[in-house]
Amino acid sequence: MGLKAVLVWCIWLGLIQYSVGGRVRHYRFDVEYMMRKPDCLEHVVMGINGQFPGPTIRAEVGDTLHIALTNKLFTEGTVIHWHGIRQVGTPWADGTAAISQCAINPGETFHYRFIVDRPGTYFYHGHYGMQRSAGLYGSLIVDLPKGQNEPFHYDDEFNLLLSDLWHTSSHEQEVGLSSLPFKWIGEPQSLLINGRGQFNCSLAAKFINTTLPECQFRGGEECAPQILHVEPNKTYRIRISSTTSLASLNLAISNHKLIVVEADGNYVTPFVVDDMDIYSGESYSVLLRTDQDPKKNYWLSIGVRGRKPNTPQGLTILNYKTISASVFPTSPPPLTPLWNDFERSKAFTKKIIAKMGTPQPPKRSDRTIFLLNTQNRVAGFTKWAINNVSLTLPATPYLGSIKFKLNNAFDQTPPPVTFPQDYDIFNPPVNPNSTIGNGVYKFNLNEVVDVILQNANQLSGNGSEIHPWHLHGHDFWVLGYGEGKFKQGDEKKFNLTHAPLRNTAVIFPYGWTALRFKADNPGVWAFHCHIEPHLHMGMGVIFAEGVHKVGKIPREALNCGLVGKKLVENGHY
């Protein structure tokens, strides 16, 4: 073969590699605190590159994202978790402090490099302390490669990132949660749509019974709503993600139906709703047909569900371009369903089933673990516990300590795989005392695992909360939901034919949720309640699988704790 032919061959190979492997997309993220008025009242928020929320990342399937993250917080560490991205082959890029990596110290830069291997609606957020509550989050959208089409038609799209906002700092919230006496964070002051909301006024003051004045925005005010501009008789895809720290939400658009087509990056069998519940950590795509009177505008509302709401609705406007966006709707915003109408919530959630062609769950599991969520006390402090163990993360990241067999870095005793069968989930715990721990559930590579999440009564009084649980590094099949305590025979009710694939699933009050996943992604992964204060108070567990198969971990991920010391001593750095 001549030189010219060799060059042509090499160029062709390079083109093939580029088309199959995708392109590398570079981002530089500077994480910092800043003064902003997201809900018309000035206070400190956490942002990226001077933006709140952080910049939207957009990529195509197969692309490699390279995000150079510089910590400009001065007094605290930080990390970012890429929520819904499985990090196949790059577990150190999952962005979980003390689990997949060391926290990024002030002034340091950490390079996240990973492949986005599936299309869908995702987001990113801080996973250190309660930095998500401080505002460290943004959207991450993965498109199909050019030339491939979604299994549904739409003319254009919008992206909605939903969040909640407090006027107390995340640091003050953390201190209150860790104090004696315990000080709860309270309900959020505002709900935000794409980082915008209104605290001291209402967009709909003239339509609803409120003491708040009507909002009067000056030019360019950052709390003014981002209006959705649409043309009549078109179909729009609305991508919706919830990065709330506490609030479960309900979303509705006046006079319009919504067709749900995607959940957590997976296609679902389309179904039509008037409104939809969205729990923290979930993402959806819905289709909206602009088939209403084009001489009117319409409200888009979000309101609190699952907790007695003390937070006003978040509002923006769907504007038909045939009239001015300044024309207000002629009727009140949609009413948010009653906060404790859980039957309605269950009915919506159970409509979510896999689209035909979605991989079905394995018919059997290799092992089952039961995780009981309880509110407890540890030395008088209020905590959340799983099987009576409240998670406290170690100083050395699990990924490094397991990879390099540092057996004294965390508790080597496996956590409990079940709870006492006589535990009464309908009443406060007889023994409210718990312990702290940082043990790990270890699975064999490719083992099929069932997880039964069991909800229970709170620490005192009568009540049981909603908990959305998120699994890192995997999607799981949601096999079913049940009332009361899971009992022998309930597994016969599992949905094994059209179980939806999700990365976040809700446990309803006094109920259980059954999940199945395959431990096929070498690494160490968090599994936890996505309500920020609940995780801070210990409501999570750690899964590890096939860590011996993990390749070389970048030096910058493991420069702390015992693993950093060991690698330096052995000359690896």
Side-chain angles (χ1 to χ4, degrees), residues 1 64 97-98 140 146 155 166 184 209 228 240 253 272 276 285 320 392 403 454-455 458 472 495 531 557 562:
M1 183 181 292
T64 296
L140 198 168
K146 288 180 176 59
D155 299 297
W166 282 259
W184 177 239
N209 183 19
L228 279 60
I240 309 162
I253 301 177
V272 181
M276 57 188 295
S285 283
Y320 278 65
T392 301
K403 173 78 172 175
Q454 177 68 63
N455 216 337
Q458 60 200 27
H472 294 229
N495 171 16
I531 292 175
L562 295 177

Side-chain angles (χ1 to χ4, degrees), residues 397-455:
Y398 288 105
L399 183 62
S401 55
I402 296 176
K403 173 78 172 175
F404 297 105
K405 298 181 173 58
L406 302 177
N407 294 331
N408 57 341
F410 64 91
D411 187 355
Q412 295 298 304
T413 303
V417 296
T418 189
F419 57 93
Q421 288 305 298
D422 61 353
Y423 188 93
D424 182 1
I425 69 165
F426 296 104
N427 287 292
V430 174
N431 177 12
N433 296 316
S434 182
T435 60
I436 62 171
N438 54 30
V440 176
Y441 293 93
K442 294 183 178 180
F443 305 124
N444 296 322
L445 196 59
N446 294 316
E447 195 171 16
V448 177
V449 182
D450 280 359
V451 179
I452 311 298
L453 290 164
Q454 177 68 63
N455 216 337

